[in-house]
Amino acid sequence: MQRQKERGGSVLEFALVSLTLVPLMLGTGVLGVNMIKVIQTEQVAHEAGRMFAEGLDMSQPGNQTVVATIGSDIGLSTTAGQGNAEVILSALTYVDKAACASAGMVDLNGNPTSGCTNYGQWVFTIRLNIGNSSIRSSSLGSPLVGGPTGVTINSDGTISLPDYVTKSGAVATFSSINPYSNVGGNASGLPSGQFLYIAEAAATTFTMSPFTGTGATYSFIIC
Amino acid sequence: MLNGSAGMALIKVNYLQPPDPGSGAGVTDVSTQSGADNSGNIMQVSVQNFSLTPLIPRIVDFNHDADTNPLNLSVYAAGVIQLRQSQPCVGTAP
């Protein structure tokens, strides 16, 4: 009689402990799967960014397929709006005197005129999306398309020189590098006219009840 | 994990030629052609169909038997070949 009572007590204890242990075990699994996804997202951003910076035309479906193959494990698709991942490719440049001069917007002394409205700003020169763009927006913002201040993004993702020099819709949310800052007596940043190639990758996270959420893994690379 | 000839056979190196600008075409696998390692082509390295035996059987639900089948994994990496003096080699691995 005494042993039967003890056995019942053990079942009750196990049930109580399980309330904590089972979710803990499931949570460990979810965390592990998502850690793998983070690594895969980093890998996709790294590979896509390198190829983009090396001059591969990422607007071509064939080249996008190569990226999608690398990102197949996180659900990257070449079909717009499909899949569980996305890659955002951006090229930025700093609008300096040389850029204003290229657009014919300098005075006789070579100084930018008032028409070179994006002087001193980082602007988009290329923007391309691969995969499901609804997963995450770019940390750099997006070029504003249409309207008097908006730019035109060509089918190959490029934005024309007059647009990115004069239209405020081309300005990126980016200030991490100043080509003309002076750090310890040395010029910091890029030489005039250089481009920054940035690849951002994001994928939906793995969720399991009760560990639900709508987060996304995210990684970026600047080349 | 990829020891021996069986493991080595899973490692694939493919050379892909990007489409002409504006063509909208796919990449062309030129691995068997001369000049496959020309600059501008894409070198894709992959491990395909690596069979990973699970440490323990996977129990998805109580209506099915435990799953002991190995997982088939494939991983890919790719990069554009740059213009340089020593191009990547093409052919059978030594």
Side-chain angles (χ1 to χ4, degrees), chain B residues 20-40:
Chain B
D20 292 330
S23 69
V27 292
T28 309
D29 193 327
V30 292
S31 305
T32 57
Q33 298 176 18
S34 62
D37 55 352
N38 284 345
S39 63

Side-chain angles (χ1 to χ4, degrees), chain A residues 23-108:
Chain A
L24 198 64
M25 282 176 60
L26 293 175
T28 305
V30 170
L31 191 67
V33 170
N34 282 326
M35 284 176 72
I36 293 170
K37 276 208 161 193
V38 167
I39 294 168
Q40 290 170 329
T41 306
E42 287 175 357
Q43 171 80 0
V44 172
H46 183 86
E47 302 279 321
R50 247 185 33 206
M51 287 192 282
F52 180 47
E54 285 165 349
L56 199 65
D57 181 0
M58 285 299 181
S59 66
Q60 293 278 338
N63 296 335
Q64 291 184 4
T65 303
V66 176
V67 176
T69 304
I70 298 168
S72 57
D73 287 337
I74 55 171
L76 183 62
S77 168
T78 54
T79 308
Q82 298 292 309
N84 297 315
E86 70 171 318
V87 171
I88 306 168
L89 302 168
S90 309
L92 305 184
T93 194
Y94 189 81
V95 179
D96 57 7
K97 285 183 182 179
C100 293
S102 298
M105 293 177 177
V106 288
D107 59 20
L108 294 175

Side-chain angles (χ1 to χ4, degrees), chain B residues 36-51:
Chain B
D37 55 352
N38 284 345
S39 63
N41 283 355
I42 300 166
M43 183 177 176
Q44 184 188 61
V45 181
S46 58
V47 175
Q48 297 178 24
N49 297 318
F50 174 73
S51 184

